[in-house]
Amino acid sequence: MQGVRRRTRRWITLVVMAVATMAAGLGLIMPSAAYAAEGCKVEYKIASQWPGGFTGNVAITNLGTPVNKWGLEWTFPNGQRVTQAWNATVTNAGDVHTAKNVDYNAKIATNGSVSFGFNGSWSGTNGVPAQFKLNGVVCDGTTGEPSTPPTTTPPPTGGATAMETVAAMEPGWNLGNTLDAVGADETAWGNPRVTQELIDNVAAQGYNSIRIPVTWDNHQSKTAPYAVEDAYLDRVEEVVGYALNADLHVLINIHHDSWIWMADMNTNRAVVEARYEAIWTEVATRFRDAPPEVLFESVNEPQFNNVDDPTAEGLLNDLNVSFHEIVRGTGGGNATRVLVLPTLHTNAGQAHLDALSATIASLDDENIAATIHYYGFWPFSVNVAGYTKFNAEVQADLEGYFDRAHAEFVANGIPVIVGEWGLLGFDAHTGTVEQGEKLKFFEYLQYYAAQKGLTLQLWDNGQHFNRTTFQWKDPELFNMMKASWTTRSGTASTDQVFVAKSGTVSDVSITLNPNGTTFQALRLGSTNLVQGTDYTISGNTLTIKASRLTTLLGDRAYGVKANLSAVFSQGAPWRISVISYDQPTMSAATGATGSFAIPTQFNGDQLATMEAKYADGTAAGPHNWTSYKEFARAFSPDYTAGTVALPQAFWTDVNDGQKVTLTFHFWSGKTVTYYVTESGGNVTGSLT
């Protein structure tokens, strides 16, 4: 095939690496249970280090016959201790530490590898362990006889397992709104044409995989045999080649076709099946000889019109089974390529998980992965119904979602790709969720996904990584994400300290959330503030002293006067903005429903949410089951223009001629009450 090639993946050791010599011995028989490995090697890396702490990464390569369950033992030479671990359970008896597999990485094939990471403490010297033992055998690169009699079952052939392949894809990124754009070409939705330079820059951010959504509708004949344009297949192949050149795993799919024409499968089954089969026949044939780093996803967010869920599950099963049969039938690399199957709506509701699990069981294929999507607890994700904060309910929704996916699939040896994740409110505006609450969501989601063995692929339709300048539009968010790939970051109850411009300056306390880290310092720029003078720390309560706040506030003009950083023993620092503000005010206004905006003096404050009620107390406007309206949909602040807009979407669900009481809630805790009445498409707004 043209345009697709594979380069050797680069491995970078950041500080130190201890590697045992590798031997060429290969096992020829497979034991039926755990046993002492005949040979192994270990790569030990210190990925990052700071005073008193460090992050370590350990990669184990099995040189002998396949292992089912493992324990790795080593002795730290300088009193180091593991304080937190991921992808393994680590215990210690003094300096002797033992890491044991978790349920999803218990097996290590011949010449296969697994890895885990940890955070540790140290003082004085952070020396490298002299020796590692895997299941009691020293990992010195040599091979010997197994310590227990093996069976005579032949070992599996081929490369990495599906679980190993998917694990190697973490973290991942989506090339959204590009080849999946509905229009003349990949620029139809505003993103630039994809280049090798773009993909190289994505890889340089630290990503290991790229999901390339592809919509085929405009490039497929609408009559039999439903051929795909050769030029479009060539372009898809070219972009896949860019990704392989950048040493990325690649996932390609059928994307918006899921709602454009596939959703009518129940009433137009023959055509839908024929189009679907034609696409996968051509794609599978084209990529038959692509390396195993290329994966296929049967369909994005499958959905079906005018049917109940059981019927929809049956339709999806038929498509997934057909996809599997077509791809496997083309042979070559497709005979063992990892195939990715979605749940209905790519949702992790238990019924959807159960249905996909039944499909996968029927296929009896070890090279299958499942995929789901997650955009957060909906009210929080779009900022509606008063869910402005990453609270316990939001966290519980996330945990339940990932717990179910892990229990259904990962715990049973089936890898899971969260093919899209983020916040749903980003579709309207990336500021829909307040910055600090957004950071807490992103930090915790990545941590919890790692605990459950899920691989994440960030949805980015151009809203995050600038595809022209190759810079992050929100560097603070990316820094939090990047830190979360290997460790946890400390956060706090807030990232905003509001001090009234005209009021007396007092001490301000916030609660730290160390997340397993240790608070180290409070900084202004690169300068550490003085504990006891500028701030105090008591348990997890950080108190910034009035004297320091007074200095930071300076002339006390409205707005952010300083950005402090709470620095923890690991991870990204937590920004704390010191803000001078006063009570926000609004003015009377008139205008049409399509352009009505309330003149607003924010006075340094920021809008959190808005309530809308009729005189009888019932909720007004869209989502009338709650008085708290959706941010950036029913109302939208413009801090530069000094307005709060109420767009047409708000007025569409407001009763003509009825007065509505609006209550604007600001992050300082202040509120403003305002009254609006719409009549015949014209709005009158007042303070009374």
Side-chain angles (χ1 to χ4, degrees), residues 59 109 199 226 228 341 389 402 450 461 505 514 566 582 584 640 642 663 686:
I199 304 304
Y226 305 107
V228 175
L341 306 183
K389 294 188 175 183
F402 288 177
N461 61 13
V505 181
D582 266 336
T640 302
T663 304
S686 67

Side-chain angles (χ1 to χ4, degrees), residues 413-450:
I414 301 166
V416 173
I417 299 172
V418 184
E420 295 180 16
W421 73 280
L423 286 168
L424 197 60
F426 285 171
D427 286 346
H429 194 283
T430 54
T432 294
V433 176
E434 192 274 329
Q435 183 74 359
E437 304 306 314
K438 178 195 313 178
L439 294 175
K440 284 184 271 189
F441 171 82
F442 272 71
E443 193 280 333
Y444 191 76
L445 184 147
Q446 291 182 113
Y447 158 74
Y448 203 73

Side-chain angles (χ1 to χ4, degrees), residues 61 65 119 122 127 215 249 268 280 294 370 376 414 445 556 586 635 667:
T61 300
T65 55
N119 293 321
W122 69 286
T215 298
H249 282 70
N268 195 26
W280 276 120
V294 176
I414 301 166
L445 184 147
R556 301 185 72 171
M586 293 178 162
F635 68 98
W667 279 102

Side-chain angles (χ1 to χ4, degrees), residues 352 355 386 391:
H352 302 322
N391 61 19

